[in-house]
Amino acid sequence: MQFPESWLREFCNPPVSSAELAELLTMAGMEVEEARPAAPPFSGIVVAQVLSVAQHANADKLKVCEVDAGTGAKLQIVCGAPNVREGIRVPCALVGAELPPGEDGKPFTIKLGKLRGVESQGMLCSARELKLSDDHAGLLILADDATIGANIREHLKLDDTLFTLKLTPNLAHCLSVYGIAREVSALTGAPLVTPAIAPVPPSHDAKLKVTVEASDLCGRFSGRIVRGVNTKATTPAWMVERLARCGQRSVSALVDISNYVMFEYGRPTHIFDLDKIHGGLTVRWGRTGEQLELLNGNTIEVDAQVGVIADDKQVESLAGIMGGEATAVSDDTRNVYVEAAFWWPEAVAGRSRRFNFATDAGHRFERGVDPALTVAHIERITRLIVDICGGEAGPMDDQILALPKAEPVRLRIARAAKVIGMPVTQAQCEGVMQRLGLSFTSEPGAITVTPPSYRFDLKIEEDLIEEVARIVGYRSLPDTPPLAPVTAHIRPEANRGLSALRQALAGLGYQETIGFSFVEERWERELAGNADPIRVLNPIASPLAVMRSSLIGSLVAVLQSNLARKASRVRVFETGRVFRRDASVPDSIRSVAGVAQPRRVAGLAWGRVDALQWGSKERASDFFDVKGDIEALLAPRQAKFVAAEHPALHPGRCARVELNGSPIGFVGELHPRWRQGYELPSAPIVFELELDALLERDVPAFTPLPRQQSAWRDIAVVAGEQVGHDALMEAIGAGSGGLVRSARLFDIYKPAAPAADMQPGERSLAVRLELLDNDNTLTDERIEAAVAEVIERLSARLGVRLRG
């Protein structure tokens, strides 16, 4: 929020400098993001009146002006501004004056000179030349009552300071100049000036029929008719100046008045063109299919989640956010309807983001605007309209349906002292509440505060403790070092840290990505098979509306982004939590009831298996490359890969990863449907595993070197195509206590033409067996007996036979 210091000091003027005021606000929780002067440095510029204007004899676009600058003598100044005319009062730079620094950082000095042969004794200035604005259409014309010869900095109050505050969402009561002044008064003890708002007596009895159908949308609705306004009236210079210093450009008198009161008291209002309203107004929730053209030119479609103000024919305004073009005031407007309402913050929050824009009104209403002052603020607007635009006000229409109930909050003095970290007395706490204007009752050791209508942030005891700390002053807190035992956390040897796993993945050529926990609903439905994801109540963007239950969607999006930038090889991974419904999860300090939040690690490989190199033939990454990466991550533990199905993966190129008989994830090629749906040139290989399973590892155990030498035997068996590798190794039983220590499949042969020793649908599997007896030397008889036992076991379990 931006505002001028001079406006703030009209409400509260503490005896502190601008720098001290900025420090005070920041330390009270209202961070001053910037404090800059209203105008750059310049000197020698005064208010002057143009007495006469004559055409330059040697230039069509130049005028020779006679000027009174309060020096006691008339000055002759040559001017080329198109709006120069007799009688106006403008800034005049005298000879020797210094204009604001240019691009070179040096000030521009005005000298006595000649323009086309005519002497010029100064310069008449535009707002752009003084760097007050970007307007260069002509001279900066001042008010007719500006004192001739007065310093222009004093006349325009250019030594003002513009504060820009970065307010947190709980400080809704500070979204106005008066609200900030109220805080400054509490912080410094300087008196707060609260201007009296006198009611404007009605001159007629006309009322507009307004029906509020949704009390959960609008708790209070106030309005009145003002007839006979002159919308072409000029906004006063003082109002234009204050709006400009708040970062708001002048639009028209009526719009400026509405914006001015919003900055002054934090009350967004709306002014309708009364003659464009069909019948009466109805405040309700929108209906599916209804459309509204907004003041910003956008046409939106509302639904039952969006509040609207409608007349008998159509929707006319987006409740608490922006008005509609159909009833906007214009130069032809003669009768207006001024509206001020209390919109429930929950009914406004997030609605602007659904339509990809934000407004000052929505920003304030979704944080909370005082419901008690709708009538007073309409009276303020009415007075300004009548004074500036003329017109006759009608009676006030004020409908109160449901207002927030102020729940008392109890503050324990001992608790406040413990949380703040310094002793505080009951008298101090009571004094803070008095300075903040909060009503309270006292009892020994505690006070009970009833929040005022403009404080939406006072809900629990900690909120009051924060107020005590703010007003007492954070600088009053003692510098006390924490007293706590420093105990080193020792990770069990059977676990490795997440950082070690990330380094391992990076060593395999993967790059880490970090994605949002909230994702597109399409990803959940298509890539996770989750038809009922957990929805985000207030998404930061409409596509990011659900919580992820899988990391695959985020990685596919990263692949799309890289492909859009012509990447030829993409290998990425992500670690993080996923969120899925689980009724068995209890509510605790580490969990939310009904929501499981397991940690996962997922990876994606697309493109060349190796980075650009010359040592081997280029080929694309495939299932077995990524399978090897998974085995490397799990080593020395051995995973089992079982054919399975997954919503995101190719049904014939997908495996479930099992460790010690328990499933820990999936690996496979992206489903052709999703490769086409996400417009990928070829299918990537993806995996997603339980993170905790990868962080576990076996504690190394000592095994003595064998004293005997191993023996190796190769066997070739004929088996049907349905016999898989895992079944073959399990039947061999390597490492299960016999002489066979290990077995490795090293060749598969399937004849191109019918063979005498193999039937159709059969193939030859060659296996190398390692045999070892740690205690005794193996003999040929024992070796042959062990091999024969393996062949017999294979035949009995899998129906294979020894190849002849």
Side-chain angles (χ1 to χ4, degrees), residues 271-310:
I271 301 177
F272 293 86
D273 187 325
L274 179 64
D275 298 325
K276 296 178 182 178
I277 297 175
H278 304 90
L281 293 179
T282 302
V283 180
R284 57 174 173 80
W285 293 104
R287 296 164 186 163
T288 302
E290 288 184 320
Q291 292 188 334
L292 170 64
E293 182 181 358
L294 297 169
L295 289 173
N296 61 7
N298 294 346
T299 299
I300 62 171
E301 183 173 316
V302 302
D303 56 27
Q305 301 299 316
V306 178
V308 300
I309 301 176

Side-chain angles (χ1 to χ4, degrees), residues 169-175 182 266-267 341-346 364-373 402-407 409 438 451-460 463 467:
N170 63 310
L171 297 177
H173 58 287
C174 296
L175 287 170
R182 184 169 50 205
R267 165 75 57 190
F342 167 69
W343 306 102
W344 288 97
E346 299 83 2
R364 285 165 170 78
F365 278 123
E366 67 184 6
R367 286 159 173 77
V369 177
D370 188 0
L373 298 177
L403 298 183
K405 184 179 180 181
E407 297 291 343
V409 183
L438 307 180
S453 58
Y454 57 86
R455 292 300 298 265
F456 288 80
D457 59 322
L458 302 181
K459 301 293 184 183
I460 58 177
D463 296 330
E467 296 302 297

Side-chain angles (χ1 to χ4, degrees), residues 43-48 67-71 75 77 91-99 109-112 121-125 149:
S43 62
I45 301 175
V46 299
V47 177
V67 176
D68 179 8
T71 60
L75 304 179
I77 297 177
C92 176
L94 303 175
V95 174
E98 290 187 346
L99 294 183
T109 303
I110 301 299
K111 300 178 180 178
L112 184 66
Q121 300 169 333
M123 174 182 171
L124 303 183
C125 303

Side-chain angles (χ1 to χ4, degrees), residues 234-291:
T234 302
T235 305
W238 59 267
M239 183 178 288
V240 173
E241 173 198 322
R242 281 189 173 173
L243 289 174
R245 293 184 183 182
C246 289
Q248 181 69 50
R249 66 180 180 86
S250 175
V251 179
S252 67
L254 288 176
V255 175
D256 291 348
I257 290 169
S258 179
N259 288 334
Y260 182 84
V261 173
M262 180 182 70
F263 286 114
E264 185 178 36
Y265 290 115
R267 165 75 57 190
T269 57
H270 187 62
I271 301 177
F272 293 86
D273 187 325
L274 179 64
D275 298 325
K276 296 178 182 178
I277 297 175
H278 304 90
L281 293 179
T282 302
V283 180
R284 57 174 173 80
W285 293 104
R287 296 164 186 163
T288 302
E290 288 184 320
Q291 292 188 334

Side-chain angles (χ1 to χ4, degrees), residues 637-640 658-663 696 698:
R637 296 183 297 165
Q638 294 186 349
K640 184 177 180 181
E658 295 182 355
L659 191 64
N660 300 327
S662 300
E696 295 177 0
D698 295 333

